[in-house]
Amino acid sequence: HLVDAQSFPVETTEFSNLAGAGAYAPYLTYSSADLADIVSYATARGVRVLPEFDVPGHAYAWGLGYPNITATCPGYAANINNIPLNPCEPFTFDVLKGVIGEMAGIFPDSFFHVGGDEVVYGCWGEDTSIQQCMKDKGFASYNDLMQYFVSTNDGIVNSNHKTVIHWNDVFDEGITVPKGTVYQVWTSHTVLQQVIQAGYRAILSNSNAWYLNCGFNPGCAYISWQEMYENFIFANM
């Protein structure tokens, strides 16, 4: 995660308000030079650095700089993790095109992570402009709206000659993506098996074994080293 609901710390040339208003503090940002230094340092040590810009969910911080690109849903606003991007606002994709294009030039790896997890459809349901947009476009469900967003945004990533990585939530929701897409599975070995059987490549990082923050924040119990090492990738495959 380079960005999340709590903060947009990445400085961008075209859309400076993203970090200007969305960073946790003015001095807690990454310049393009900072990011290039991280990539260089990692490359010299045999480490690949892949950025994740998690969209359309977990997008509250994007809207601090450009309020019209996030959904308006007072009933969900108490938890900033509930706020997604607004796929019906054309400017949303202008911003995504600018950000992804700039980051694609900084991160040389052929993969680019665009998230897709934990999108709160109920927030879209409270936004009257999104409701009208769905009627205008003939979308019968929020999955249709999600499909529209994913297809459009993945096209932006592909146009920058990058392979898309999504969280497995996109797969779980039945969203259609090209077989070249990679899914990062954070939930279970069962989902990993389903993803592979469907013909996709996958990355396993299941939260009950390989989340390093567990034990340091509420709602996620400490995971021992033994549990981590016993997390066999090919279990039940």
Side-chain angles (χ1 to χ4, degrees):
H1 282 282
L2 265 179
V3 302
D4 210 329
Q6 292 77 14
S7 177
F8 195 110
V10 180
E11 296 177 7
T12 60
T13 303
E14 188 174 359
F15 299 102
S16 58
N17 282 356
L18 288 171
Y24 194 74
Y27 58 90
L28 296 176
T29 60
Y30 296 102
S31 67
S32 58
D34 292 332
L35 297 176
D37 284 346
I38 291 169
V39 171
S40 177
Y41 184 91
T43 301
R45 290 157 179 80
V47 176
R48 296 162 62 183
V49 181
L50 277 67
E52 181 194 351
F53 285 80
D54 192 5
V55 289
H58 296 284
Y60 174 82
W62 295 67
L64 294 175
Y66 300 96
N68 57 324
I69 70 172
T70 51
T72 301
C73 52
Y76 289 85
N79 183 349
I80 61 173
N81 289 299
N82 291 336
I83 309 302
L85 292 176
N86 182 350
C88 290
E89 169 55 58
F91 185 57
T92 298
F93 294 108
D94 292 338
V95 173
L96 287 166
K97 185 176 181 180
V99 170
I100 292 171
E102 185 171 347
M103 294 302 113
I106 294 173
F107 294 94
D109 202 276
S110 61
F111 295 89
F112 198 99
H113 205 314
V114 286
D117 64 319
E118 300 176 324
V119 181
V120 179
Y121 286 176
C123 181
W124 284 343
E126 280 195 4
D127 190 311
T128 55
S129 69
I130 292 176
Q131 291 298 300
Q132 185 60 51
C133 163
M134 290 179 65
K135 292 178 181 178
D136 294 342
K137 292 182 180 294
F139 293 160
S141 69
Y142 297 117
N143 262 27
D144 290 344
L145 184 59
M146 182 67 171
Q147 180 70 68
Y148 169 72
F149 178 87
V150 168
S151 296
T152 306
N153 193 54
D154 284 9
I156 295 171
V157 176
N158 295 152
S159 71
N160 283 279
H161 311 291
K162 303 290 187 182
T163 297
V164 173
I165 302 176
H166 280 299
W167 291 109
N168 63 266
D169 303 53
V170 174
F171 177 85
D172 297 341
E173 293 292 343
I175 305 303
T176 301
V177 297
K179 290 298 182 183
T181 304
V182 176
Y183 280 112
Q184 183 171 0
V185 178
W186 67 274
T187 50
S188 70
H189 286 82
T190 299
V191 173
L192 175 68
Q193 186 175 18
Q194 293 169 350
V195 166
I196 292 174
Q197 288 177 340
Y200 295 99
R201 291 176 290 174
I203 301 165
L204 179 67
S205 58
N206 47 315
S207 60
N208 64 342
W210 285 345
Y211 270 33
L212 299 179
N213 63 306
C214 287
F216 300 94
N217 64 305
C220 188
Y222 176 77
I223 300 168
S224 69
W225 283 107
Q226 183 177 1
E227 290 174 294
M228 289 186 176
Y229 278 104
E230 289 177 348
N231 186 47
F232 185 50
I233 296 176
F234 300 108
N236 302 318
M237 296 289 285

